Amino acid sequence: AEYNKLKNVVARKLEELNLRLEETKASSAAHITSSTGYVVNANSTAKTNVDGLITAMEAQNLNTVNFMTFDNTLAELTLEQLKTIQLELISYGNNLYARKWALRSQIEACTTKEEVDAIVINYDDVTA
C-alpha cells in the first residue's frame, strides 16, 4: 500500500513537471538576456517570430529589421544579431528540457512522499 501511494505521488509530481514546462514555454513572461544586449521574449511564439524574420530577411536580402524587445522597445537588428538570438532561444529551450530531465530523475529517485513533496518545480532561473 505504501509503495502504491508513493507511485501515485510520483506520478502527480511528474504531471506537474510536464505542466510547468508547457506553461513556461507558452508564458509571455518568458525571456532571456541576449548577448546582443537586448532582453528578448523566449516563449514558443518568440522563437517562431525570430525564425520567420530570419527567413524573410534572407529572402528579401534585407540588412536590418525592426524587432520588438521584451520591454516593448523597437530595436533595429542585423541578420547576424537575429541569428544570435535564434541560437540563444534554441539553447534556452534545450536548457529548459535539461532542467526537466534533472527534476524527473530527482522525483523518480525519491523513496518517500515527503521527499517528492520537497522537490520544487521551477524553471524561472533557466537561462540561455
Side-chain angles (χ1 to χ4, degrees), residues 50-63:
V50 168
D51 293 347
L53 283 173
I54 289 171
T55 301
M57 285 182 79
E58 289 175 336
Q60 298 168 22
N61 208 20
L62 300 174
N63 294 322

Side-chain angles (χ1 to χ4, degrees), residues 29-53:
H31 63 281
I32 58 169
T33 301
S34 169
S35 64
T36 60
Y38 296 100
V39 178
V40 299
N41 292 292
N43 58 19
S44 303
T45 302
K47 171 74 173 63
T48 302
N49 291 346
V50 168
D51 293 347
L53 283 173

